[in-house]
């Protein structure tokens, strides 16, 4: 029977001590919730944040280029007219649908026009989901791992590819750990006077300011990863190209776990135990190199998108 999903569960613990800092949301703070048994739980890292962290394993910040293990893969590189690096489809929140790609010049055409033509979008013709997937694979296969949404009102269609690899971290039996401190002013032990309002405030960075912080302890912290193999097959790519996406998923998950989960200053987690086969990043990188050669006809070359602030 063909596998439809792979689910990995990874037990985690703070690298040091027992406290950790969860992700926070505007106007909400930490995302606490109650489990069915009544225990207090916490979302430590959201699916959207974990997607960014997984995707970051494909990029080398030191060289402003993709990781050397993925040299055979294409992506969209966003540069200035002077060829200075700005961003890429691996770094942008909307990946291939980034505003910087859409507003750039690619092969002498505006990005929106160039990409609409690449995707084969036309009025009066139904959207070909598999054709869209083939183009995304040609431009940047990683976009088929984490999804992309081309929300362009001026286009006849707004193609969307859902996330195929989902990860998140939850904590069970949590309790808040409240602490605080003081930002000390070693020169003047009071807030300065604001030149505009005449009032004493902290906007200038002066004065000694007390603050509080809330971290958490937990009986259990678990990372979950779900790989949707059925979605990979739905793209209608060749067997080698589909296997390449599987290898990319293994590479990202394995690299993330091997590199450590230092999510924030006060949230550094280590792996305790794993249920399911742990992906081997090095083995996955070897597969990627071989499979990229096997499906080279479906892969494009690196695309250069020239973006100008004046546009």
């Amino acid at each position: 029977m063909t596998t439809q999903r792979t689910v990995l569960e990874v037990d985690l613990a703070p690298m040091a001590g027992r406290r950790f800092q969860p992700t926070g949301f505007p106007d909400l703070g930490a995302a606490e919730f109650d489990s069915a048994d009544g225990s207090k739980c916490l979302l430590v890292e959201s699916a959207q944040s974990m997607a960014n962290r997984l995707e970051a394993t494909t990029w080398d910040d030191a060289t402003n280029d993709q990781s050397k293990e993925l040299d055979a893969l294409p992506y969209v590189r966003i540069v200035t007219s002077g060829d200075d690096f700005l961003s890429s489809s691996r770094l942008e929140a909307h990946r291939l649908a980034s505003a910087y790609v859409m507003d750039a010049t690619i092969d002498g055409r505006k990005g929106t026009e160039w990409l609409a033509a690449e995707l084969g979008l036309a009025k009066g013709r139904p959207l070909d989901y598999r054709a869209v997937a083939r183009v995304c694979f040609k431009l940047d296969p990683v976009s088929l791992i984490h999804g992309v949404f081309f929300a362009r009102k001026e286009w006849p269609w707004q193609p969307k590819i859902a996330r195929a690899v989902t990860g998140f971290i939850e904590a069970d039996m949590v309790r808040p750990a409240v602490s605080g401190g003081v930002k000390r002013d070693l020169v003047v032990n009071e807030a300065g006077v604001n030149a505009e309002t005449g009032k004493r405030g902290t906007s200038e960075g002066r004065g000694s300011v007390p603050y509080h912080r809330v971290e958490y302890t937990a009986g259990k912290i678990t990372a979950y990863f779900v790989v949707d193999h059925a979605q990979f097959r739905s793209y209608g790519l060749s067997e080698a190209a589909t296997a390449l996406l599987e290898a990319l998923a293994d590479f990202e998950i394995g690299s993330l776990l091997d590199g450590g989960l230092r999510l924030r200053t006060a949230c550094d987690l280590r792996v305790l135990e794993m249920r399911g086969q742990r992906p081997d990043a090095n083995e996955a990188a070897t597969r990627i190199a071989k499979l990229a050669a096997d499906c080279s006809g479906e892969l494009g070359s690196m695309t250069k998108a020239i973006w100008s602030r004046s546009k």
Side-chain angles (χ1 to χ4, degrees):
M1 180 177 177
T2 304
T3 301
Q4 299 295 313
R5 304 282 193 281
T6 292
V7 180
L8 305 175
E9 297 183 6
V10 188
D11 292 335
L12 306 171
M15 186 67 72
R18 289 173 287 183
R19 294 170 294 137
F20 61 92
Q21 175 191 11
T23 189
F25 297 90
D27 303 321
L28 175 64
E32 295 185 8
F33 62 96
D34 295 323
S35 68
D37 62 10
S39 63
K40 186 69 69 177
C41 301
L42 183 68
L43 179 63
V44 180
E45 201 73 358
S46 66
Q48 56 268 32
S49 180
M50 284 293 279
N52 293 336
R53 295 184 185 282
L54 286 166
E55 196 166 18
T57 64
T58 72
W59 192 258
D60 185 350
D61 289 326
T63 62
N64 275 338
D65 205 342
Q66 66 179 339
S67 302
K68 64 180 186 304
E69 294 90 346
L70 309 182
D71 280 347
L73 302 184
Y75 70 93
V76 177
R77 187 175 181 85
I78 305 166
V79 299
T80 67
S81 56
D83 206 34
D84 294 324
F85 175 79
L86 292 175
S87 189
S88 80
S89 55
R90 304 284 177 80
L91 301 176
E92 287 296 298
H94 298 290
R95 301 178 181 89
L96 292 173
S98 164
Y100 294 102
V101 174
M102 296 295 179
D103 294 338
T105 299
I106 305 175
D107 291 342
R109 303 174 67 183
K110 186 178 179 181
T112 49
E113 299 173 359
W114 177 86
L115 196 50
E118 286 284 316
L119 294 171
L121 306 180
K123 292 181 180 180
R125 286 171 48 189
L127 178 65
D128 189 336
Y129 171 78
R130 292 188 299 177
V132 170
R134 287 195 297 271
V135 172
C136 290
F137 185 81
K138 181 181 79 169
L139 296 177
D140 187 351
V142 175
S143 64
L144 296 181
I145 303 287
H146 300 294
V148 59
F149 180 25
F150 298 100
R152 308 298 301 187
K153 292 182 179 180
E154 69 272 26
W155 286 3
W157 298 96
Q158 290 76 48
K160 182 176 182 179
I161 292 178
R163 186 179 291 131
V165 176
T166 302
F168 56 90
I169 302 176
E170 293 180 350
D172 300 310
M173 299 173 284
V174 300
R175 292 180 179 273
V178 181
S179 62
V182 176
K183 176 266 176 189
R184 294 183 59 200
D185 191 325
L186 300 179
V187 179
V188 179
N189 190 33
E190 60 183 19
V193 177
N194 187 296
E196 295 181 0
T197 64
K199 298 179 180 180
R200 296 187 181 277
T202 58
S203 59
E204 296 83 4
R206 299 190 180 94
S208 295
V209 184
Y211 62 88
H212 73 275
R213 66 185 300 161
V214 180
E215 297 168 307
Y216 287 82
T217 62
K220 183 180 181 182
I221 305 173
T222 309
Y224 299 89
F225 298 95
V226 181
V227 181
D228 191 336
H229 304 283
Q231 182 170 324
F232 285 153
R233 291 192 290 271
S234 75
Y235 296 148
L237 303 172
S238 69
E239 185 176 332
T242 302
L244 174 59
L245 295 177
E246 308 273 2
L248 265 172
D250 286 346
F251 175 82
E252 291 187 11
I253 296 171
S255 296
L256 183 65
L257 295 177
D258 293 345
L261 290 163
R262 191 166 193 261
L263 308 179
R264 282 166 291 281
T265 301
C267 191
D268 193 356
L269 305 174
R270 57 191 172 90
V271 175
L272 294 178
E273 186 179 349
M274 187 164 184
R275 288 173 292 285
Q277 186 173 352
R278 179 168 179 164
D280 185 322
N282 292 328
E283 185 273 337
T286 300
R287 276 191 286 146
I288 289 170
K290 179 183 182 303
L291 291 165
D294 293 342
C295 65
S296 59
E298 295 169 81
L299 293 169
S301 57
M302 189 268 288
T303 301
K304 185 175 291 188
I306 304 173
W307 183 84
S308 171
R309 180 178 293 275
S310 62
K311 293 183 179 181

